Amino acid sequence: MPTNKEENKPNLFYMSSVTVLTFVIPVVGFLSDHFWNSHALTFELFSKWFIFSAVGLRLFLAGIKQVKNPEFTAKVIFELESTESFPILRELGFANICFGLVGIVSLYKPEWRIVSAFASGIYYGIAGLQHAIKKTSNTNEKVALVTDLTIFVILFIYFVRFV
């Protein structure tokens, strides 16, 4: 457990950025695409923006953060004090960058969305399950739990619907 009480406090930047990337940007993109391009308000249109932002941008940015600063993920999310986890978190960052790039490219290559939904959906589902099994202990990890499982459900529905 953290020795520093500050690390156990909710990280407002983390919670805000996860909320914006998971919910706000997809809705804004969805509505903007509808009004500017006269596209129908469909699950497929929403999924375009959801995969781009909740998967693409979120995982890409998280990956960069994990590669540059693995200490943040170790301490703020998982409450780990040891630096021994840093090389593993950097590798997680490389994987997140790759998953994120597939989601970002899917905005321009619609055929990539199904691949992104499948692979990232499994990833988010397992990550959310891991948070749930651990019995999340801090607000930051609870935010990760809720958003990971929400993303999993939406990606699962997308995959089942469009495969």
Side-chain angles (χ1 to χ4, degrees):
M1 295 311 249
T3 55
N4 182 350
K5 295 289 183 197
E6 293 297 312
E7 291 167 6
N8 201 18
K9 286 186 175 180
N11 183 300
L12 295 180
F13 177 78
Y14 169 75
M15 292 189 315
S16 299
S17 62
V18 166
T19 300
V20 167
L21 291 167
T22 305
F23 302 111
V24 176
I25 292 174
V27 169
V28 168
F30 172 61
L31 293 175
S32 297
D33 209 340
H34 166 69
F35 289 114
W36 288 341
N37 299 314
S38 300
H39 291 149
L41 293 174
T42 63
F43 180 70
E44 186 172 9
L45 181 63
F46 174 76
S47 298
K48 168 186 172 179
W49 291 100
F50 187 79
I51 291 169
F52 169 73
S53 185
V55 173
L57 294 178
R58 180 173 167 186
L59 290 179
F60 182 76
L61 294 172
I64 289 173
K65 178 91 170 165
Q66 289 160 336
V67 168
K68 288 178 63 176
N69 182 11
E71 181 178 17
F72 174 83
T73 301
K75 290 186 176 183
V76 174
I77 307 299
F78 293 110
E79 298 181 329
L80 301 172
E81 289 299 315
S82 171
T83 60
E84 292 174 359
S85 66
F86 290 5
I88 295 166
L89 291 171
R90 277 195 185 93
E91 290 214 18
L92 171 64
F94 298 140
N96 280 336
I97 289 169
C98 295
F99 277 115
L101 285 172
V102 173
I104 290 168
V105 170
S106 79
L107 187 65
Y108 307 100
K109 295 283 221 179
E111 64 273 18
W112 285 34
R113 287 184 202 133
I114 198 75
V115 175
S116 184
F118 178 75
S120 298
I122 291 170
Y123 172 77
Y124 274 117
I126 293 170
L129 197 61
Q130 177 181 311
H131 291 301
I133 290 170
K134 183 183 174 227
K135 306 270 194 259
T136 61
S137 57
N138 69 45
T139 304
N140 302 309
E141 192 172 8
K142 287 176 184 170
V143 167
L145 165 69
V146 170
T147 57
D148 286 358
L149 292 178
T150 300
I151 293 168
F152 165 74
V153 168
I154 292 170
L155 295 178
F156 179 79
I157 293 167
Y158 179 86
F159 182 78
V160 169
R161 184 162 182 198
F162 295 108
V163 70

